[in-house]
Amino acid sequence: MKRILFATSNEHKFREAESVLKAYSIKIVHANVSFPEIRADECSTVARSTATTAFEQLREHVIVEDSGLFVEALNGFPGAYSAWAYKKIGSKGLLELLKNEGNRKAEFVSAIAFTDGKKTEIFEGRIEGEITQKERGKNGFAFDVVFAPVGSVKTFAEDTEYKQKKSHRRKSFEKFAEWYLNYLKKHEG
Ligand code: IMP
């Protein structure tokens, strides 16, 4: 089975991906590197560009993932700028922005880009939910403490099992896995 690199400096992302891909017997290897990212409103646009940069340096089949939290009342902010926004204001800052806001709807989006150097494929996963009034939970990372997905009263940080089953990343990696197994059959069969 061909190994595939997952280029990310985020250990949480890698572990979440690994646990999805294990069920498909796809072996991913952690390339703990980060590349300069372009600025764009769509995670898929960022992922596509980063995959090309990653391939140029690593010269192996590689996947990258770009994700973000899109808050409806903030017109989609922080969206593809979530990593930067989290560094600057954290989840407390997000709660502050939504202090007097009744509309708490938000969506996590994950976009994976796979490239073999010739072509690049994109896979997206999404999950809707609400921004809670307070931080809750100890697990996960970044905005997990303030995001309660549809179908659960708990935040992702309170219920990692639910996150692992339903998250945006679970969905994008499942789509990738199904496609990649076919890709391998075509290219190695
Ligand atoms: P990226 O590494 O540029 O894709 O940035 C992703 C950012 O989006 C993270 O730093 C978080 O702020 C946010 N984010 C994406 N996925 C998640 C998640 O599963 N939980 C919590 N925050 C997330």
Side-chain angles (χ1 to χ4, degrees):
M1 171 141 300
K2 200 166 186 75
R3 75 180 202 149
I4 177 159
L5 296 177
F6 180 16
T8 178
S9 55
N10 184 327
E11 183 70 32
H12 293 275
K13 279 187 181 183
F14 182 77
R15 279 204 301 269
E16 289 181 16
E18 196 177 32
S19 114
V20 178
L21 296 180
K22 212 168 49 191
Y24 294 84
S25 303
I26 295 173
K27 164 106 185 111
I28 50 166
V29 174
H30 191 183
N32 192 351
V33 281
S34 51
F35 299 99
E37 284 180 5
I38 59 160
R39 243 186 278 169
D41 285 0
E42 300 283 334
C43 293
S44 55
T45 312
V46 178
R48 183 180 289 280
S49 149
T50 312
T52 306
T53 314
F55 186 86
E56 277 164 10
Q57 302 210 15
L58 303 167
R59 311 306 296 177
E60 276 192 51
H61 287 188
V62 64
I63 43 180
V64 301
E65 193 251 21
D66 196 78
S67 46
L69 177 64
F70 293 71
V71 179
E72 192 173 276
L74 303 176
N75 295 322
F77 178 83
Y81 305 94
S82 290
W84 173 79
Y86 185 77
K87 250 185 253 146
K88 295 288 178 192
I89 64 170
S91 37
K92 283 204 175 58
L94 178 65
L95 292 177
E96 192 60 30
L97 289 177
L98 293 174
K99 201 162 59 181
N100 298 312
E101 180 57 62
N103 175 7
R104 316 289 297 184
K105 280 191 196 158
E107 184 175 54
F108 267 129
V109 175
S110 158
I112 297 170
F114 162 86
T115 187
D116 58 9
K118 291 190 196 106
K119 68 178 195 166
T120 302
E121 295 281 334
I122 304 288
F123 308 89
E124 268 196 7
R126 294 164 185 268
I127 181 156
E128 289 179 359
E130 297 211 332
I131 303 300
T132 50
Q133 298 290 343
K134 280 190 199 155
E135 292 182 336
R136 295 198 326 244
K138 297 245 171 296
N139 299 311
F141 69 102
F143 294 110
D144 278 346
V145 285
V146 293
F147 183 82
V150 162
S152 170
V153 289
K154 293 187 180 165
T155 64
F156 269 171
E158 289 176 305
D159 192 347
T160 39
E161 245 175 70
Y162 194 83
K163 180 178 187 191
Q164 196 53 45
K165 271 194 230 143
K166 301 279 182 184
S167 79
H168 49 313
R169 196 158 293 111
R170 141 88 45 189
K171 291 174 188 158
S172 58
F173 272 94
E174 274 180 355
K175 284 187 194 165
F176 163 72
E178 311 233 333
W179 175 87
Y180 190 60
L181 292 181
N182 273 321
Y183 170 94
L184 285 179
K185 264 192 229 150
K186 271 194 228 145
H187 289 79
E188 297 185 340

